[in-house]
Amino acid sequence: MLDLKNVSLTYSNGSKPVQALRGIDMKIEKGRSYAVIGPSGCGKTSLIYIMAGLMAPTQGEVLLHGEKLVKPERGTALILQEYGLLSWKTVWENAALGLVLRKVPEREIKEILERVFEELALTECIDRYPKQLSGGQKQRVALARALSLHPDILLMDEPLSALDALTREYMQKVIFNLLKRHQITCVLVTHSIEEAVYLGQEIIIFTACPGKICAKIANPAQGAEDYRDQLSFHEKCTEVRASLEVHSQSEE
Amino acid sequence: MKNSYLKNDKFLTYSSAIVIFFLAWELLALLLQNPALPRPIPALVSFFNVLPEGLWKHFLVSTYRVLTSLLLGLALAVPLGLYIGRNAKLDKWLSPQIYLLYPVPKIALLPVIFAIFNIGDLSKVILIVLIIFFQILIITRDAAKNIPDSTILSVLSLGATSREIYSHVIIPGCLPEIFTAVRISLGTAISVLFFAESFATFEGLGYFIFEAWSRINYPEMFAGIIAISLQGFVLFILVNLLQRVICPWLFK
Ligand SMILES: Nc1ncnc2c1ncn2[C@@H]1O[C@H](COP(=O)(O)OP(=O)(O)OP(=O)(O)O)[C@@H](O)[C@H]1O
Ligand SMILES: [Mg+2]
């Protein structure tokens, strides 16, 4: 559904141009989940912005459902590392924002959000402001805002990196269940090898300077309930780690 | 629980500020033993004597001038500040101009202002607006500049138009700093007004104080000074209350 063809991106606003991405080819297929992993500064955030239609590549093209992507599209939801919650809106107002901007009638917003809040166990936080929430709760509000829009594709940029280990594992499970239940197509950027293996049916490995895809690792066993406890999970993690190490060494 | 505790606390801190103010005054007056600094009790007596006789009218006129200037200053500087803050190119061109004009002593321009706007109320308001305009402009511009791009991008990804970005993100995000600007320019406005009322008018607290001074009636002069302090005190409290209503998220 989302095709990136030979996408390159150069930032030229600084004193000297920085090439963030070079020659990226990616095919995002409906209902599948992709984990993008790579060293810091390799252009993962830039890639997500391009996929979301927030930035145009300087070269190549991005096609959504076969049409050129020029602006944020309705079916795409984005979750950023700092959650993108607005501190001046309550949890409810934050989660409702996407629907409000789409001029959905209030009664319908209420119905949709009540269901989503139930699913994400957020009901008792409705009237709070973001600063009254824990990191995990904030992340669930961001998820609620995205899910309320019934997205075809969910783009997440290191959504869990600000969480402690336990909350993080819990949230991985939350995301895992959501993806499975709603059959959402998903691109997840992460720093964590375990997270990539747990959530990504395909793991895409980037190298830095400029960001390029250096390997795509299939992860067919992903999706099993207790995958994290299986031997194949750990073998896959080792494979991804080895690939990351090989490619970061060859850069030096 | 936290709130009621805060409220009692607030009453205590504000009333003790008044007590300490008068105690310090009493002490200084006792030390100086000079008619130019009357003791607080006679000054207060004089304040309550002249209040019904016309001081109240001067109080209202000055308050009207301060509030008009403040509102006008906000109406001009806030939209411009928000816009410049979010437009790097415009900022690059306008900021040098702002820095050039900001330090120009506007009070020295009073003859020019009189020549253009005559000697009436308007020229006093214009003088204050000229001065507080830059304070509000710079504070608002910096506040707008500091809103993280990622916050704006995440709302853009929900399909917001640029007008909706202003109403949902930039304006509410800058409100706390706009209130800071209001507090700072309120103090400035009151002190500039005092100067502007010292001539070419027969109304206002500035006029009242200078007139009492010319008669060497120090208790009455201090009645005027008490009135100005009271004016500022009440206005500051009102601004704080307004902020509680408009920015509830800051007080959770
Ligand atoms: N707005 C910008 N202007 C100029 N250069 C930028 C801009 N944003 C990012 N870059 C540069 O582009 C490169 C890729 O940045 P990007 O944020 O996409 O990396 P990333 O993989 O998300 O990094 P991290 O893992 O640290 O989040 C970096 O070298 C960065 O310095
Ligand atoms: Mg990033």
Side-chain angles (χ1 to χ4, degrees):
Chain A
M1 59 191 303
L2 183 63
D3 285 331
L4 278 73
K5 292 187 181 158
N6 193 27
V7 162
S8 299
L9 178 74
T10 304
Y11 287 106
S12 42
N13 51 354
S15 50
K16 79 176 204 274
V18 179
Q19 183 165 41
L21 296 169
R22 177 186 290 172
I24 306 290
D25 285 303
M26 266 173 96
K27 222 178 175 63
I28 308 298
E29 281 166 36
K30 191 166 173 48
R32 287 179 62 80
S33 64
Y34 300 79
V36 173
I37 190 165
S40 188
C42 70
K44 304 182 295 295
T45 298
S46 311
L47 177 76
I48 288 286
Y49 285 166
I50 288 176
M51 286 179 164
L54 290 163
M55 249 185 214
T58 38
Q59 237 183 65
E61 59 178 1
V62 185
L63 302 177
L64 179 66
H65 303 300
E67 277 175 49
K68 197 163 182 237
L69 184 67
V70 287
K71 61 170 193 355
E73 286 298 330
R74 270 176 167 261
T76 306
L78 173 69
I79 296 180
L80 298 177
Q81 181 176 0
E82 319 83 42
Y83 321 122
L85 297 185
L86 306 176
S87 55
W88 45 91
K89 289 186 187 285
T90 61
V91 164
W92 181 272
E93 290 166 340
N94 264 296
L97 186 57
L99 296 167
V100 168
L101 291 173
R102 285 174 195 193
K103 316 270 186 302
V104 175
E106 205 164 319
R107 201 171 39 83
E108 225 172 295
I109 294 182
K110 198 162 176 294
E111 273 170 30
I112 296 172
L113 282 193
E114 270 168 5
R115 209 171 45 237
V116 175
F117 274 37
E118 183 97 16
E119 181 170 3
L120 288 167
L122 278 171
T123 310
E124 75 273 29
C125 306
I126 284 179
D127 293 321
R128 294 197 211 161
Y129 286 95
K131 75 170 178 192
Q132 298 169 289
L133 301 177
S134 69
Q137 286 169 329
K138 279 185 203 161
Q139 196 51 68
R140 278 182 282 153
V141 177
L143 275 172
R145 181 166 83 189
L147 287 180
S148 72
L149 300 172
H150 286 291
D152 307 325
I153 177 162
L154 182 60
L155 305 173
M156 296 188 274
D157 186 13
E158 299 186 34
L160 308 182
S161 59
L163 304 179
D164 62 88
L166 277 179
T167 315
R168 189 170 180 145
E169 209 158 289
Y170 166 75
M171 282 306 299
Q172 286 170 355
K173 210 166 274 165
V174 169
I175 293 177
F176 178 90
N177 289 329
L178 287 174
L179 294 182
K180 232 163 115 174
R181 194 163 332 129
H182 298 277
Q183 291 292 309
I184 302 171
T185 315
C186 159
V187 179
L188 170 87
V189 166
T190 177
H191 267 136
S192 148
I193 292 169
E194 283 78 15
E195 192 166 299
V197 175
Y198 183 62
L199 291 171
Q201 287 167 337
E202 190 173 311
I203 298 156
I204 297 161
I205 296 175
F206 269 66
T207 50
C209 304
K212 286 193 301 274
I213 295 178
C214 58
K216 293 183 179 174
I217 298 178
N219 186 19
Q222 191 272 348
E225 200 60 70
D226 53 353
Y227 186 34
R228 209 195 287 272
D229 303 322
Q230 290 174 13
L231 186 62
S232 56
F233 177 80
H234 295 282
E235 284 168 357
K236 192 56 79 177
C237 288
T238 312
E239 185 184 342
V240 170
R241 184 170 290 112
S243 173
L244 272 167
E245 275 165 7
V246 164
H247 290 97
S248 68
Q249 272 162 13
S250 67
E251 286 293 306
E252 281 158 17
Chain B
M1 180 197 83
K2 193 177 156 203
N3 262 332
S4 69
Y5 164 76
L6 267 178
K7 249 178 210 142
N8 295 334
D9 210 40
K10 204 151 237 174
F11 181 75
L12 189 74
T13 52
Y14 275 65
S15 45
S16 64
I18 297 176
V19 171
I20 291 169
F21 171 77
F22 280 109
L23 277 179
W25 179 356
E26 174 81 27
L27 201 69
L28 195 64
L30 281 175
L31 283 173
L32 264 181
Q33 293 289 352
N34 187 315
L37 184 64
R39 291 174 54 184
I41 303 283
L44 274 172
V45 168
S46 153
F47 173 76
F48 285 110
N49 279 335
V50 287
L51 192 61
E53 282 172 17
L55 181 57
W56 65 273
K57 219 181 74 197
H58 296 292
F59 186 91
L60 289 186
V61 169
S62 287
T63 308
Y64 166 77
R65 286 171 178 161
V66 166
L67 289 182
T68 316
S69 325
L70 197 60
L71 290 179
L72 196 58
L74 284 170
L76 294 172
V78 167
L80 190 61
L82 294 177
Y83 192 67
I84 299 178
R86 294 310 310 175
N87 272 277
K89 262 208 196 104
L90 194 64
D91 183 40
K92 212 168 103 186
W93 285 101
L94 278 186
S95 285
Q97 318 244 356
I98 295 171
Y99 297 146
L100 204 61
L101 291 174
Y102 188 20
V104 169
K106 312 313 176 291
I107 290 180
L109 295 178
L110 207 50
V112 183
I113 297 171
F114 281 157
I116 303 175
F117 298 101
N118 293 322
I119 311 187
D121 253 7
L122 184 62
S123 60
K124 300 187 191 331
V125 169
I126 297 286
L127 174 68
I128 298 178
V129 169
L130 272 181
I131 293 175
I132 63 176
F133 174 82
F134 291 96
Q135 300 177 344
I136 303 172
L137 183 69
I138 288 175
I139 294 174
T140 315
R141 179 202 62 182
D142 290 351
K145 225 188 247 183
N146 285 337
I147 290 183
D149 286 340
S150 62
T151 306
I152 290 174
L153 286 172
S154 75
V155 178
L156 273 179
S157 79
L158 297 170
T161 60
S162 59
R163 187 191 295 183
E164 285 165 335
I165 289 294
Y166 271 92
S167 63
H168 287 282
V169 184
I170 297 174
I171 294 174
C174 293
L175 273 175
E177 284 85 1
I178 292 175
F179 270 98
T180 302
V182 167
R183 278 187 277 267
I184 289 175
S185 38
L186 186 59
T188 311
I190 291 176
S191 38
V192 174
L193 182 69
F194 169 74
F195 168 79
E197 284 179 341
S198 63
F199 50 86
T201 182
F202 295 105
E203 283 174 319
L205 292 173
Y207 163 76
F208 182 89
I209 291 171
F210 276 95
E211 199 273 332
W213 191 357
S214 69
R215 289 185 284 112
I216 324 187
N217 187 339
Y218 290 121
E220 214 171 295
M221 185 179 154
F222 272 82
I225 293 175
I226 291 176
I228 285 199
S229 308
L230 193 67
Q231 179 191 44
F233 196 65
V234 169
L235 288 178
F236 276 122
I237 291 175
L238 286 180
V239 170
N240 281 354
L241 289 177
L242 198 64
Q243 189 177 19
R244 276 184 173 270
V245 175
I246 297 182
C247 307
W249 68 92
L250 295 177
F251 302 92
K252 295 288 168 174

